[in-house]
Amino acid sequence: MTVTTSFSMMRPCFTGYSFQDLGSIPGQGRVNQLGGVFINGRPLPNHIRLKIVEMAAAGVRPCVISRQLRVSHGCVSKILNRYQETGSIRPGVIGGSKPRVATPEVEARIEEYKRDNPGIFSWEIRDRLIKEGICDRTSAPSVSAISRLLRGRDSEDDTKIDGKSCLHFHSTKFTRKLIFRERYSLLSILGFKELCFLSSMRLC
DNA sequence: GGCGTAACGGTTGAG
DNA sequence: AGCTCAACCGTTACG
């Protein structure tokens, strides 16, 4: 059995460092107990990950893979487990926070709070949203997201067309930005082809 | 000796 | 612009 790399197996952002690169990144490369080179906190290069999966598929025992590729057996075990679960050799998405969803209802409520009390702090708005059950602690927009929304709102108040506020246009612009971020994080998980397919099916 | 996994020190990136 | 924090990483050590 052979394992082929599909487009979806490739992460768009991290393509993997080459060991030649390690020399050009002073202080980055470290050596493990097996003599292998790694960068602490960073995923192994794709070609090593692929090699691990290929060797396992060829029936090579994990301990042999570990010794031959000079990668810790814990790492070999992790990568093979992940491959079994997801079918992908790619590492997970590192860093970032879960995108908060500011629904039109939440946006409207934020605007209402601000109208009632123009001096209200963003963190107070967030607290009220949670207290009044509009969102829970995990889904509530972050304080910085709220303040950005309010900043946007304030600048829009200055730009009125025929005496009417452009608030709706700009708040939907805010929502579009969140949707774009959701898509971007999907891109790193699914890969470009899958995302194009889902987009064409209007699934995301 | 081989394997699974918790703990650790590190990086990353959205909020 | 800079900080926070929760996600991930690979290595190490233990059972």
Side-chain angles (χ1 to χ4, degrees), chain A residues 11-198:
Chain A
R11 258 169 70 84
C13 301
F14 178 72
T15 54
Y17 51 81
S18 69
F19 290 127
Q20 290 94 318
D21 290 343
L22 292 171
S24 59
I25 312 169
Q28 288 282 323
R30 299 191 187 189
V31 179
N32 62 24
Q33 290 175 338
L34 299 165
V37 185
F38 70 100
I39 297 177
N40 202 11
R42 302 295 298 136
L44 282 174
N46 276 335
H47 69 272
I48 301 283
R49 308 177 80 87
L50 182 61
K51 193 81 190 160
I52 290 170
V53 174
E54 276 178 345
M55 288 174 79
V60 182
R61 295 171 64 181
C63 58
V64 178
I65 298 173
S66 168
R67 277 195 295 265
Q68 210 159 85
L69 298 180
R70 296 183 177 185
V71 171
S72 65
H73 85 271
C75 182
V76 171
S77 163
K78 254 188 203 179
I79 289 171
L80 291 178
N81 271 331
R82 177 187 287 270
Y83 182 71
Q84 270 185 348
E85 284 168 14
T86 67
S88 168
I89 62 160
R90 291 178 302 157
V93 179
I94 304 171
S97 315
K98 282 180 189 169
R100 298 275 188 260
V101 181
T103 62
E105 191 202 351
V106 172
E107 286 187 24
R109 198 56 76 103
I110 292 170
E111 284 149 18
E112 191 185 314
Y113 295 156
K114 186 72 176 176
R115 226 183 4 256
D116 294 346
N117 178 9
I120 194 168
F121 290 110
S122 299
W123 61 266
E124 286 179 304
I125 291 176
R126 189 169 189 273
D127 271 3
R128 276 187 71 179
L129 286 171
I130 295 165
K131 213 171 280 176
E132 292 177 15
I134 310 296
C135 358
D136 60 38
R137 207 157 273 284
T138 55
S139 67
S142 66
V143 173
S144 54
I146 293 170
S147 61
R148 263 199 299 274
L149 179 63
L150 294 175
R151 268 204 309 275
R153 197 191 77 98
D154 288 344
S155 60
E156 283 142 16
D157 284 348
D158 300 335
T159 56
K160 294 187 178 192
I161 302 169
D162 296 335
K164 288 175 188 167
S165 169
C166 312
L167 184 64
H168 175 68
F169 168 76
H170 282 270
S171 65
T172 51
K173 200 168 127 188
F174 176 77
T175 315
R176 275 204 302 272
K177 191 178 167 189
L178 285 173
I179 292 169
F180 176 78
R181 282 195 180 152
E182 290 247 23
R183 282 195 178 192
Y184 186 77
S185 56
L186 268 176
L187 177 64
S188 62
I189 297 164
L190 296 174
F192 185 69
K193 269 188 180 171
E194 287 90 336
L195 191 62
C196 287
F197 175 71
L198 290 174

